[in-house]
Amino acid sequence: MIRRRLLISGRVDTESLLSMITHFIGRLNLESRIESASPGAITIDLQGDEDLIDMFEVACWLGPEDGLIDGVASLPGHSSLLPVACGTSA
């Protein structure tokens, strides 16, 4: 399992983006914590299988129906190679 912090940004309604993110997190069985949510940008910490987090990033580019995603970027602070012990909360 790994941890990764992502910034998802675009011309989207915050509630629509949060709804989409929640849907994908559930489908991919990831653990998450929203660090910040403002108009047009959400920062989220993820924990889970590296391949599933990669799938989450790709899925985010699809965006909600009522918006456009401009960027999905990994942020410093949580390396994509940082191992996390099972059962450890972020």
Side-chain angles (χ1 to χ4, degrees):
M1 294 191 36
I2 66 164
R3 289 173 33 184
R4 190 175 301 163
R5 177 173 288 163
L6 297 177
L7 171 62
I8 305 163
S9 60
R11 291 165 274 175
V12 295
D13 175 70
T14 304
E15 290 302 316
S16 293
L17 187 53
L18 284 170
S19 177
M20 180 203 72
I21 286 170
T22 301
H23 171 76
F24 288 138
I25 285 169
R27 297 284 302 210
L28 296 170
N29 197 31
L30 299 172
E31 293 182 39
S32 67
R33 182 175 62 212
I34 303 295
E35 289 295 315
S36 66
S38 60
I42 291 179
T43 303
I44 183 171
D45 283 334
L46 297 170
Q47 179 176 312
D49 181 80
E50 184 172 14
D51 289 338
L52 295 176
I53 291 176
D54 290 344
M55 287 180 190
F56 176 83
E57 287 188 55
V58 171
C60 284
W61 281 104
L62 299 173
E65 293 179 11
D66 61 348
L68 178 65
I69 298 299
D70 294 324
V72 179
S74 291
L75 298 176
H78 290 293
S79 168
S80 62
L81 301 177
L82 178 66
V84 175
C86 292
T88 302
S89 62

